[in-house]
């Protein structure tokens, strides 16, 4: 191994998100609050949809959320560790058997629904964690 790899790993570790990220999987319904800049002001805008893909690892990790807005499918890719994401809320846990849900692009209406995991509430699975409960970063 070269001497550069540990240096890059240390740099990437410092760039990881400081606030807690809830545990979510493909098929879950999320509400992502994204910071939007309008002129001088910033505000949080919610984007709610189904996670159709998770990719990458470390600070390069990202996830894709899909929603249908006014009959048009909208997909948005979010870097997991970006400071532009204010918070991520898990709305529902989906029961799927795939790692990529690209087949949802071809479905519409009731056919595009994902079954919810029975007996599991999102609040029970991913309780909110305050930043002081996180382990210290090196």
């Amino acid at each position: 191994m070269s001497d550069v790899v540990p240096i890059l790993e240390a740099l990437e570790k410092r760039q990881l998100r400081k606030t807690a990220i809830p545990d979510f999987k493909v098929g879950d319904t999320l509400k992502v609050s994204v910071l939007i800049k309008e002129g001088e002001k910033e505000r949080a805008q919610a984007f709610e949809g189904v996670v159709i893909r998770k990719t990458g690892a470390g600070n390069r990790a990202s996830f894709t959320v899909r929603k249908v807005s006014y009959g048009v499918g909208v997909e948005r890719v979010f870097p997991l560790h970006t400071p532009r994401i204010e918070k991520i809320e898990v709305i529902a846990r989906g029961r799927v058997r795939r790692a990529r849900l690209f087949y949802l692009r071809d479905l519409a209406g009731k056919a595009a629904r994902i079954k919810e995991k029975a007996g599991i509430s999102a609040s029970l699975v991913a309780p909110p964690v305050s930043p002081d409960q996180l382990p210290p970063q090196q």
Side-chain angles (χ1 to χ4, degrees):
M1 247 191 190
S2 73
D3 297 332
V4 178
V5 173
I7 297 169
L8 289 176
E9 286 176 351
L11 281 171
E12 287 180 356
K13 193 171 187 180
R14 276 191 277 160
Q15 294 173 349
L16 291 178
R17 191 175 176 84
K18 303 292 187 258
T19 58
I21 301 166
D23 181 38
F24 63 91
K25 295 181 171 77
V26 173
D28 293 351
T29 302
L30 298 183
K31 184 185 284 186
V32 183
S33 295
V34 186
L35 292 174
I36 304 292
K37 194 167 197 166
E38 292 178 338
E40 303 276 325
K41 299 179 186 175
E42 272 192 356
R43 67 179 179 87
Q45 184 179 46
F47 189 90
E48 186 174 334
V50 177
V51 179
I52 63 168
R53 173 171 89 172
K54 286 178 78 172
T55 184
N59 70 339
R60 294 184 212 102
S62 64
F63 60 100
T64 304
V65 180
R66 177 181 174 82
K67 73 173 184 176
V68 177
S69 179
Y70 297 102
V72 178
V74 180
E75 290 182 9
R76 191 157 175 196
V77 179
F78 295 102
L80 190 60
H81 295 284
T82 181
R84 304 305 303 167
I85 293 180
E86 190 175 53
K87 67 179 176 179
I88 300 172
E89 294 177 62
V90 180
I91 305 298
R93 299 278 175 182
R95 190 179 65 141
V96 294
R97 297 171 67 178
R98 301 273 181 274
R100 305 281 191 263
L101 303 182
F102 298 143
Y103 66 89
L104 290 177
R105 294 171 177 164
D106 299 328
L107 302 178
K110 287 186 175 183
R113 288 184 300 184
I114 293 176
K115 290 184 180 176
E116 195 168 336
K117 283 189 180 175
I120 298 177
S121 171
S123 61
L124 294 175
V125 175
V129 178
S130 64
D132 58 327
Q133 293 175 336
L134 293 173
Q137 297 283 334
Q138 254 77 24

